């Protein structure tokens, strides 16, 4: 009130921001080959809030889809205002694979024949590699240079990585046949006369062969004679045998011309009874009554004399084969004629029998031997076999003889049965691996192997799930199987969380494993500090951003890890400090400029103590000037991760010294302007005040120590005697309210009635 009595009343103003800030997702980026760039909160450039001038943007996490071509990393940033309202935005980072795989050319191969060229085999490429997984090798094509001897074949293999990047490698295959063909000398030929000499005939070379050429070329190279035209002339013919690459050999065919060589024909008659000896062979065409040395079947020659018809008969012959008939005139020992005709003397009505074709079976299989017996003979087999009855022979090769007996005439035939053993196929022991690992199945015990599920024996592959693999082994056409189980344990999908991702040193953070798997043990790498256990805590004592990696080993022995870069960020506490200019204000000059002297902070919160605040760095503020007061100004300095420090300063607002001294008053009882006194508005001490009024001679005619009591134009307070109209001198003495400065003012005042 007017006497300075006062009370205070309070009004509660609640400021509560519950509206989330706003921000857009940063633009996606593509990184050829990786790695992803470090998190950069400045990529979020449109963060805004209804209250907070500068919402805090912080990196939260990077999560990979673990894919290929490309790998997609989802990077999350948080946007938080001063009241803890928060949103998240995401940036997609595409990691592409621009790199080709690598591999060396396979070693060159040299073969003799085109048929020896090996089939394409991608396993000859042994050092294929890629930055992103295991590349696949496939045969691409074979290209010949079109030449021969040698022919060069360029074989290409394609090496393709999981992202379809590929290269070609080449294998040089040289085909060059340097082996001569083979052939035997044709059998010598003997003729009676020169006119009987056969014409040149390349077909006389009958067993020409070559390692590569199917039909070597036979050609006459030369023909020479010994000149003995009338007494055993010998003609020598040389044939060349040449393969496609020009390799060759020579063979020799000799032709003997014997003018004295006898000529004859053969005739025969079979025995009339089975096992009889009444068969005969007759030589005809001999010179009648001439002596000859005759032999057959390689026997020693016997001397004979042809009869008047020029014939000779060999009698008392049993069934059998007779050949190599040699007739040599006694008169010309060197003139020998040989007839290699085969004459078969057979018993009458001998039954026909055929044991059948040779057979090859596998162990455990049955075989049935059934003879072909068109004459209805009595059939018997050796080795306990019954005709037409199945039996199971042992492993090995056995010759089985069938005997056909028809009224004492016996015929036999033989069939061979080969029993190959079943191969002892072994698929290997069961295998246990973790997802993503490769395995190689190597079966043993057979010549070749066929696996199901697309597996190739001895070639590594990567199973995707637990599977039973069956292998079939083949040896000599006999098949056996075995199985192996490949158990694929799932890799753990490692994840973890922390109870606090930002803080101020020293800051304890609790880390929890959130991996959903049966876990054997956990190992943490927190900024280089190794901790074991699946739930751990760590006290950070140095300000920095720390990478956190969790490595998990499952009870199945599978190991995987997950790392989050800059996962935990710890700050030093900032130092808050400020100054004001000026720090003491008046009701007129009520504005001050604040200078922020803080360090280590990124945001600032000012409370000016008058219900107003600011987030500016160096704000200017006008304080209320309706009345004097003291305002406690508070500055809260906050680091980028929320560490705070506070500074205070008191700002004083004083009343300005304001007063007015009139120069004229009219004490005429009209109730207006009746007294003279200074009019103080503010800023003086009413307890230390004096007003003196002097006449023209310097005499004090009025004195007052109360600023509320003025001079009414009389001589003194108690007097009613009026002074004359005119000009009077006044003097005011008083102190200022706050600094006790004494003020003395002198002036004049006019009285008008």
């Amino acid at each position: 009130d007017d006497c300075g009595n006062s009370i205070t009343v309070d009004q509660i103003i609640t400021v509560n921001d519950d509206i989330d800030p706003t921000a857009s997702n940063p633009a996606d980026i593509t990184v050829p080959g990786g790695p992803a760039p470090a998190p950069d909160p400045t990529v979020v450039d449109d963060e805004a809030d209804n209250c907070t001038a500068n919402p805090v943007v912080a990196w939260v996490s990077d999560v990979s889809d673990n894919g290929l071509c490309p790998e997609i990393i989802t990077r999350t940033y948080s946007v938080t205002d001063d009241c803890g309202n928060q949103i998240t935005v995401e940036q997609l980072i595409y990691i592409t694979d621009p790199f080709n795989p690598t591999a060396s050319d396979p070693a060159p191969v040299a073969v003799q024949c085109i048929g020896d060229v090996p089939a394409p085999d991608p396993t000859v490429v042994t050092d294929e590699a890629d930055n992103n997984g295991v590349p696949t090798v496939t045969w691409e094509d074979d290209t010949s240079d079109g030449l021969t001897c040698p022919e060069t074949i360029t074989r290409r293999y394609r090496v393709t990585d999981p992202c379809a990047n590929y290269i070609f490698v080449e294998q040089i295959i040289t085909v060059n046949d340097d082996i001569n063909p083979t052939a035997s000398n044709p059998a010598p030929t003997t003729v009676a006369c020169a006119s009987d000499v056969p014409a040149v005939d390349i077909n006389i070379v009958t067993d020409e062969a070559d390692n590569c050429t199917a039909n070597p070329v036979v050609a006459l190279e030369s023909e020479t004679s010994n000149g003995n035209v009338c007494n055993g002339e010998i003609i020598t013919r040389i044939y060349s045998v040449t393969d496609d690459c020009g390799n060759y050999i020579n063979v020799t065919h000799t032709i003997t011309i014997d003018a004295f060589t006898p000529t004859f024909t053969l005739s025969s008659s079979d025995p009339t009874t089975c096992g009889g000896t009444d068969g005969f062979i007759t030589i005809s065409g001999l010179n009648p009554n001439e002596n000859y040395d005759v032999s057959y079947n390689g026997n020693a020659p016997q001397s004979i004399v042809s009869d008047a018809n020029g014939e000779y008969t060999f009698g008392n012959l049993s069934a059998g084969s007779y050949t190599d008939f040699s007739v040599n005139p006694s008169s010309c020992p060197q003139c020998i004629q040989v007839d290699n005709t085969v004459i078969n003397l057979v018993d009458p009505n001998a039954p026909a029998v055929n044991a059948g074709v040779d057979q090859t079976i596998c162990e455990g299989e049955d075989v049935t031997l059934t003879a072909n017996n068109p004459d209805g003979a009595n059939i018997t087999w050796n080795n306990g076999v019954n005709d037409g009855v199945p039996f199971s022979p042992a492993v090995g090769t056995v010759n089985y003889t069938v005997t056909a007996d028809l009224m004492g005439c016996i015929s036999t035939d033989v069939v061979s049965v080969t029993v190959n053993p079943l191969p002892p196929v072994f698929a290997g022991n069961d295998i246990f691996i973790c997802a993503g690992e490769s395995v190689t199945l190597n079966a043993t015990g057979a010549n070749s192997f066929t696996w199901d599920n697309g597996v190739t024996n001895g070639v590594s592959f990567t199973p995707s799930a637990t599977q039973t693999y069956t292998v079939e082994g083949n040896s000599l056409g006999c098949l056996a199987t075995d199985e192996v189980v490949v158990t694929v344990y799932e890799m753990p999908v490692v994840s973890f969380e922390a109870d606090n991702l930002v803080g101020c040193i020293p800051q304890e953070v609790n880390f929890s494993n959130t991996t959903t798997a049966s876990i054997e043990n956990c190992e943490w790498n927190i900024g280089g500090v190794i901790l074991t256990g699946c739930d751990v805590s760590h006290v950070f004592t140095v300000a920095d951003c720390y990478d956190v990696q969790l490595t998990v080993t499952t009870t199945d022995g599978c190991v995987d890890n997950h790392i989050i870069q800059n996962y935990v960020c710890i700050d030093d506490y900032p130092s808050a400090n400020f100054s004001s200019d000026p720090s003491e204000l008046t009701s007129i000059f009520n504005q001050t400029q604040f200078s922020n002297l803080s360090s280590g902070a990124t945001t600032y919160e000012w409370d000016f103590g008058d219900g107003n605040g600011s987030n500016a760095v160096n704000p200017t503020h006008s304080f209320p000037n309706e009345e004097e007061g003291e305002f406690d100004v508070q500055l809260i300095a906050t680091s980028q991760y929320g560490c705070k420090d506070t500074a205070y300063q008191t700002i004083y607002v004083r009343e300005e010294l304001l007063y007015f001294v009139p120069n004229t008053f009219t004490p005429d009882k009209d109730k207006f302007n009746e007294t003279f006194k200074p009019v103080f508005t503010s800023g003086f001490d009413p307890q230390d005040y004096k007003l003196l009024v002097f006449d023209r001679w310097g005499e004090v005619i009025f004195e007052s120590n109360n600023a509320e009591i003025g001079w009414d134009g009389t001589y003194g307070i108690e007097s009613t005697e009026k002074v004359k109209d005119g000009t009077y001198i006044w003097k005011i003495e008083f102190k200022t309210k706050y600094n006790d400065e004494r003020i003395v003012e002198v002036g004049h005042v006019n009285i008008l009635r």
Side-chain angles (χ1 to χ4, degrees), residues 349-382:
N349 302 317
V353 66
N354 186 348
V357 298
D358 293 343
Q359 299 188 43
T360 300
I361 63 173
C362 295
E363 180 181 4
E365 295 180 1
D366 287 344
V367 65
T368 301
L369 299 182
T370 302
N372 183 11
N373 180 21
D375 296 325
N378 183 32
I379 298 297
T380 59
W381 291 85
N382 68 343

Side-chain angles (χ1 to χ4, degrees), residues 5 83 85 120 127 158 172 190 256 259 333 339 346 382 406 438 477 490 559 582 605 651 685:
N5 303 305
C83 285
N85 300 305
D127 61 346
R158 182 191 294 260
I172 302 302
T190 301
T256 301
D339 189 334
V346 296
N382 68 343
L406 182 62
S438 296
E490 290 186 3
V559 180
E605 183 179 352
I651 299 297
D685 184 359

Side-chain angles (χ1 to χ4, degrees), residues 383-634:
N383 296 318
V385 174
N386 294 316
D387 193 68
V389 177
F391 66 100
S392 180
V395 173
T397 299
V398 176
N399 292 326
Y400 295 88
T401 302
V402 62
T403 300
D405 186 348
L406 182 62
M407 299 179 65
C409 292
I410 296 175
S411 299
T412 62
D413 196 17
V414 177
V415 64
S416 177
V417 176
T418 299
V419 179
N420 293 322
L422 295 179
V425 176
F426 178 56
N429 297 322
D430 290 344
I431 299 173
F432 302 88
I433 63 171
C434 297
E437 294 180 352
S438 296
V439 66
T440 301
L441 299 183
N442 269 310
T444 59
N447 295 334
S448 64
F449 303 94
T450 302
W451 289 86
D452 62 0
N453 297 307
V455 174
T456 301
N457 200 59
V459 177
S460 66
F461 64 100
T462 303
S464 60
T466 297
Q467 179 76 46
T468 298
Y469 296 88
T470 301
V471 64
E472 181 180 70
N474 186 329
S475 291
L476 301 176
C478 295
L479 306 177
T481 62
D482 194 20
E483 294 181 345
V484 63
V485 177
V486 177
T487 300
V488 180
Y489 294 122
E490 290 186 3
M491 292 291 289
V493 180
V494 180
S495 63
F496 57 86
E497 61 184 14
D499 61 354
N500 195 4
L501 300 182
V502 296
C504 310
I505 58 170
Q507 177 68 51
E508 181 178 19
V509 178
N510 296 310
F511 297 90
S512 299
N513 168 45
T514 58
T515 305
T516 56
S518 179
I519 297 174
E520 179 75 20
N521 58 62
C522 302
E523 181 180 277
W524 299 81
N525 185 332
I526 303 173
V529 176
I530 306 300
L531 301 175
T532 58
C534 291
D535 295 314
V536 299
S537 63
H538 180 65
V539 177
F540 295 88
T541 58
V542 177
D544 202 351
C545 284
Y546 295 86
D547 297 344
V548 177
Q549 175 178 292
L550 172 59
T551 301
V552 169
T553 303
T554 68
T555 54
D556 297 322
C558 297
V559 180
D560 201 359
N561 65 75
H562 179 52
I563 185 170
I564 301 179
Q565 296 178 339
N566 299 325
Y567 185 54
V568 176
C569 291
I570 305 299
D571 256 355
D572 284 323
Y573 280 96
S575 175
N577 190 18
F578 67 93
S579 64
S580 59
D581 184 23
S583 60
E584 190 168 295
L585 308 176
T586 69
S587 55
I588 295 177
F589 301 102
N590 65 330
Q591 186 181 80
T592 186
Q593 173 69 48
F594 291 98
S595 297
N596 194 334
L597 306 177
S598 303
S599 61
T602 58
T603 61
Y604 305 94
E605 183 179 352
W606 296 85
D607 184 345
F608 298 119
D610 59 359
N612 295 307
S614 173
N615 294 111
V617 178
N618 298 296
T620 298
H621 183 65
S622 296
F623 288 87
N625 59 359
E626 291 81 4
E627 59 182 27
E628 65 182 4
E630 296 180 359
F631 300 92
D632 293 326
V633 178
Q634 172 185 275

Side-chain angles (χ1 to χ4, degrees), residues 196-205 218-224 235-240 253 255:
D196 297 328
V197 173
V200 172
D201 182 7
I202 60 174
N203 294 320
I204 199 168
V205 181
V218 179
L220 178 68
E221 284 294 303
S222 65
E223 180 177 311
T224 60
I235 298 173
T236 302
R237 288 176 178 169
I238 298 177
Y239 291 90
S240 64
H253 179 214
I255 303 170

